[in-house]
Amino acid sequence: MPQPWTLHSDGRTIAEGEIVGPTERLTWPRTIGFGAQHVVAMFGATFLVPLLTGFPPSATLFFSGVGTMLFLIITGNRLPSYLGSSFAFIAPIGAATATDGMGGALFGIMVIGILLAVVGGIVMITGTGWIDALMPPVVSGAIVALIGLNLAPVAADNFGKAPWTALVTLAAVLLIAVAFRGLTARLSIVVGVVIGYAFALVAGDIDFTAVGQAAWIGLPDFHTPTAAWSVLPTFLPVVLVLVAENVGHVRSVAHLTGDQSLNRRTGRALLADGLATTLAGAGGGSGTTTYGENIGVMAATRVYSTAAYWVAGVTAVLLGLSPKIGALINTIPVGVLGGITTALYGLIGIIGVKIWIDNRVDFSRPVNQFTAAVALVIGIGNLTITLGDLVFTGIALGTIAAVVVFHVMTTVERLRSDAAA
């Protein structure tokens, strides 16, 4: 069961070289303030996913808050994290919605959540060694990169529908990212949305009719899944991405807090994210993942208190209970989305490249060269194969290719070395 927090020092100051640990807190007014920062940090990315996929923002915000609190309970208040909308779901949701509607997409999300929870249970028993063996950095980096780059045509389509608004939005994102430091720079996507929205407002491209008609308080726009097994091939690679994100998040927090024992909670983190994603899929929300944006906030403030995340989770639930806020989010025009996604989808691709760089992947080795090359071309080109009712798109095939190419080539390489010896 989660344990209560102890007051750090006098609850007001953080001495040089110290941090506020996960099981500590500052005074409640300060803790609420830090929780508000986490809300701001997660909000831009969390609401963008439903906006891009056509899912109800109110339900997504609601389930992200519920999922965050569930995560904190399952990890015993020891692992600070916010569970926001995962970008890995964008392409599968789009494909599933086109063929089987929102219900089919929610079914895919729910199944992925169940599978992730199962993986979490296995990791709690066996540890993470088998994950590292299945997905070494060259494989995990390729999977993350191809998911982002596979979405490039969507960004281009949005950009082309309102190029001037998209250009203003994109320029704002780029300039904010380099003109400022700290939290403002990390929130360049949010600020870019605000600036692009203002431009579109002046241009008369926004209709507030739905906002005026929406109630201030009400239940989120819940939806239920409908069984659509044909969508699963597109969704299955997302499990690998969520595993990699959660493992990386736990390791980052353990490193930043200097508490390596947190790595032993990786299985609980995966289980919690899996259950949160399952719950979201069952009710109309987007699949969740641990958020790097909030790690950045913790690194900047040196406050790792899970109490602040309880504040953020409760706030997200309250935001989800306001239909007017959901309606306001839905007024963001396609041009703004075009500018944001041009940067955002590319950044997802670059995260994959960063995984290679951080882990010093040796691309002079043919195994690594071909693992990345084949997976990326399949993903970006969106190679598609149909087997009966099942459709395997570029993301699924690229993911399969990354895993299979690496392990087959590595095995052949090892057998050749053994034979030569």
Side-chain angles (χ1 to χ4, degrees):
M1 290 294 293
Q3 299 299 311
W5 304 274
T6 58
L7 196 65
H8 177 84
S9 185
D10 62 358
R12 294 177 174 81
T13 57
I14 307 172
E16 186 68 28
E18 291 185 353
I19 65 168
V20 178
T23 59
E24 298 180 311
R25 66 170 176 84
L26 298 174
T27 60
W28 280 114
R30 288 172 173 79
T31 297
I32 292 172
F34 284 111
Q37 287 191 74
H38 285 301
V39 172
V40 173
M42 71 81 183
F43 194 82
T46 295
F47 84 73
L48 271 179
V49 174
L51 198 61
L52 296 171
T53 58
F55 274 30
S58 58
T60 294
L61 287 171
F62 177 85
F63 283 113
S64 74
V66 171
T68 296
M69 291 186 283
L70 180 64
F71 184 96
L72 294 170
I73 291 171
I74 292 176
T75 58
N77 267 350
R78 291 290 308 282
L79 202 55
S81 179
Y82 190 88
L83 294 189
S85 304
S86 170
F87 291 110
F89 282 99
I90 294 175
I93 287 175
T97 302
T99 58
D100 295 274
M102 183 181 296
L106 290 172
F107 179 74
I109 292 172
M110 192 171 66
V111 171
I112 293 308
I114 294 171
L115 291 176
L116 184 61
V118 170
V119 172
I122 295 173
V123 170
M124 289 173 68
I125 299 171
T126 64
T128 61
W130 64 274
I131 295 176
D132 298 331
L134 177 67
M135 293 192 303
V138 66
V139 172
S140 58
I143 293 172
V144 173
L146 71 86
I147 284 178
L149 299 178
N150 174 268
L151 291 165
V154 177
D157 182 60
N158 286 336
F159 201 105
K161 290 177 179 177
W164 284 110
T165 300
L167 185 61
V168 169
T169 304
L170 178 59
V173 171
L174 302 180
L175 293 175
I176 294 297
V178 294
F180 295 89
R181 293 183 177 180
L183 184 61
T184 302
R186 284 194 296 274
L187 296 177
S188 60
I189 295 289
V190 179
V191 178
V193 168
V194 173
I195 293 175
Y197 191 93
F199 181 87
L201 183 62
V202 172
D205 295 334
I206 300 176
D207 182 3
F208 290 104
T209 302
V211 179
Q213 295 173 346
W216 278 105
I217 299 174
L219 290 176
D221 188 9
F222 293 126
H223 292 267
T224 55
T226 54
W229 298 100
S230 60
V231 307
L232 295 188
T234 304
F235 277 91
L236 289 176
V238 176
V239 174
L240 301 180
V241 177
L242 296 180
V243 168
E245 288 177 341
N246 276 275
V247 171
H249 178 98
V250 175
R251 289 176 178 173
S252 296
V253 173
H255 172 72
L256 291 168
T257 60
D259 183 2
Q260 294 304 313
S261 69
L262 293 180
N263 286 315
R264 294 198 293 269
R265 296 185 179 255
T266 300
R268 289 193 182 195
L270 291 166
L271 173 63
D273 191 13
L275 293 177
T277 294
T278 303
L279 189 61
S286 301
T288 62
T289 188
T290 50
Y291 258 23
E293 291 91 335
N294 296 90
I295 290 182
V297 172
M298 291 189 292
T301 61
R302 295 180 293 156
V303 176
Y304 296 84
S305 173
T306 54
Y309 282 98
W310 277 98
V311 173
V314 170
T315 302
V317 168
L318 294 177
L319 290 173
L321 293 173
S322 176
K324 192 172 288 291
I325 291 177
L328 182 62
I329 292 173
N330 274 328
T331 63
I332 296 177
V334 67
V336 173
L337 298 182
I340 293 299
T341 53
T342 297
L344 193 61
Y345 295 163
L347 282 177
I348 298 172
I350 294 303
I351 290 172
V353 176
K354 187 175 184 296
I355 291 174
W356 294 335
I357 294 173
D358 290 347
N359 291 277
R360 300 179 181 178
V361 174
D362 182 5
F363 279 107
S364 67
R365 292 184 59 205
V367 171
N368 293 336
Q369 291 174 354
F370 284 108
T371 295
V374 173
L376 286 178
V377 169
I378 291 175
I380 296 171
N382 200 32
L383 178 65
T384 302
I385 295 178
T386 302
L387 297 175
D389 293 333
L390 300 179
V391 179
F392 295 82
T393 61
I395 290 178
L397 294 175
T399 298
I400 294 170
V403 175
V404 172
V405 170
F406 176 83
H407 287 288
V408 169
M409 291 187 70
T410 299
T411 300
V412 172
E413 189 179 58
R414 184 169 59 251
L415 291 174
R416 183 200 64 194
S417 298
D418 292 344

